[in-house]
Amino acid sequence: MTKPDKITDKVRLQDAQTLAQGYSPAIRAMEIASIIAFVSLEGVLAYKLWSTDHTGPWLMTLAVVLGYLAADFVSGFVHWMGDTWGSTEMPVLGKAFIRPFREHHVDEKAITRHDFVETNGNNCLVSLPVAALAVAVPLHGPGWVFLAAFLGAMIFWVMATNQFHKWSHLDSPPALIGFLQRVHLILPPDHHGIHHTAPFNQYYCITVGWMNRPLKMIHFFPLMERLITWATGQLPRKDDIGTEAAQALVAVDDASEVPVLQVAKELLKATTEEPAPSVSTRPIP
């Protein structure tokens, strides 16, 4: 079996210049339109929430904090999908969504050279359906207000994710940004650096990174990969790191036991090894 520390020798990444050229004028126009639409929807939602009588400081604070946690998970899930599945040759999705993930592994500093539109346009685009849903929520009571505020906060943090991500790759971030990174209120560079260790298969959450450790403890993403491979036969990360490295990584993941499965097997083993109850041999009177 291939050892995990030998998988990096098999990684074959794509050409950085070719990937960078995939950012076309059509994609940029789509991103500009997405940013305008996203900001407009968030503005309408903020006005609706401000105008309702069912808001309160604790309700809004809870919505913002839970939205932050949800955005961190969403960022990890989307990041994992973009890193793990699909190809840059796919129509529409390949160049608009998958290409940036591939480029980032080849040239992680490229994001620091992106302007505001290229950095945040994609996230605004994928957030539009949820933004529209948040605006459509009827504010007829505190529960509905909380739902609308939660959805609005979550997609706001989703939108900000790539900006936080970009700052984590700066050599000298602004003083305020550096402070927020040190106290881990936004994504810290050292924490995110774990993801940038080939073969790039852990710590996907990039809004703040709080969800990375819990998801790793329960083997969330490896379990998802096994499920998708079982259902589709697709090999995870084949397009990103090459077939040989992807196959070696799957072999390592298959050989490692998920903690939950370990516990289940131990309990089953203990149950089957329990001594059978003794049977009395005394004669029946």
Side-chain angles (χ1 to χ4, degrees):
M1 185 185 70
T2 304
K3 293 182 179 180
D5 59 351
K6 296 296 183 182
I7 294 176
T8 54
D9 297 335
K10 301 177 181 293
V11 172
R12 300 291 181 267
L13 297 173
Q14 301 177 49
D15 180 68
Q17 186 174 0
T18 302
L19 290 168
Q21 290 172 351
Y23 185 66
S24 67
I27 293 175
R28 184 171 182 84
M30 177 184 66
E31 290 178 343
I32 292 173
S34 299
I35 291 172
I36 294 172
F38 177 82
V39 171
S40 299
L41 287 170
E42 285 283 84
V44 171
L45 177 62
Y47 176 78
K48 287 184 63 178
L49 291 172
W50 181 265
S51 303
T52 184
D53 296 328
H54 299 294
T55 58
W58 290 110
L59 183 145
M60 299 305 293
T61 300
L62 183 61
V64 169
V65 172
L66 292 181
Y68 202 32
L69 285 172
D72 199 39
F73 173 78
V74 170
S75 76
F77 192 83
V78 173
H79 188 182
W80 166 74
M81 289 289 293
D83 277 4
T84 308
W85 307 104
S87 165
T88 55
E89 301 303 317
M90 292 174 64
V92 183
L93 290 177
K95 291 190 175 184
F97 293 100
I98 297 175
R99 179 199 61 83
F101 291 103
R102 304 293 188 265
E103 180 189 12
H104 189 56
H105 287 169
V106 179
D107 181 7
E108 64 182 76
K109 289 294 184 182
I111 192 173
T112 65
R113 301 188 291 272
H114 295 169
D115 62 7
F116 181 85
V117 172
E118 190 172 357
T119 300
N120 300 292
N122 267 351
N123 281 13
C124 287
L125 177 62
V126 299
S127 297
L128 287 178
V130 182
L133 176 62
V135 170
V137 170
L139 306 182
H140 294 160
W144 290 107
V145 170
F146 174 81
L147 176 61
F150 168 78
L151 292 174
M154 180 183 70
I155 57 171
F156 174 82
W157 296 123
V158 166
M159 182 278 299
T161 291
N162 266 356
Q163 192 63 55
F164 295 166
H165 184 197
K166 176 180 177 178
W167 285 332
S168 75
H169 285 282
L170 291 178
D171 293 327
S172 300
L176 177 60
I177 301 307
F179 169 76
L180 293 175
Q181 290 172 339
R182 286 192 298 274
V183 297
H184 205 159
L185 289 179
I186 61 175
L187 185 66
D190 292 344
H191 181 90
H192 182 51
I194 297 173
H195 174 72
H196 279 279
T197 302
F200 320 108
N201 64 333
Q202 58 182 327
Y203 277 38
Y204 296 99
C205 300
I206 53 174
T207 303
V208 63
W210 291 346
M211 296 297 296
N212 280 321
R213 190 166 296 172
L215 291 175
K216 184 175 181 179
M217 289 175 63
I218 64 172
H219 287 225
F220 178 80
F221 292 115
L223 286 172
M224 291 293 294
E225 288 168 20
R226 292 183 189 183
L227 177 62
I228 292 175
T229 298
W230 171 80
T232 67
Q234 295 297 310
L235 182 65
R237 297 177 195 84
K238 178 180 177 181
D239 184 69
D240 186 30
I241 62 177
T243 302
E244 188 179 4
Q247 289 174 337
L249 188 58
V250 167
V252 170
D253 286 342
D254 287 345
S256 62
E257 287 282 3
V258 179
V260 174
L261 296 180
Q262 288 179 347
V263 173
K265 286 184 177 181
E266 289 175 3
L267 289 174
L268 181 61
K269 183 179 179 181
T271 302
T272 57
E273 289 181 350
E274 285 182 0
S278 58
V279 179
S280 175
T281 59
R282 289 183 300 172
I284 299 176

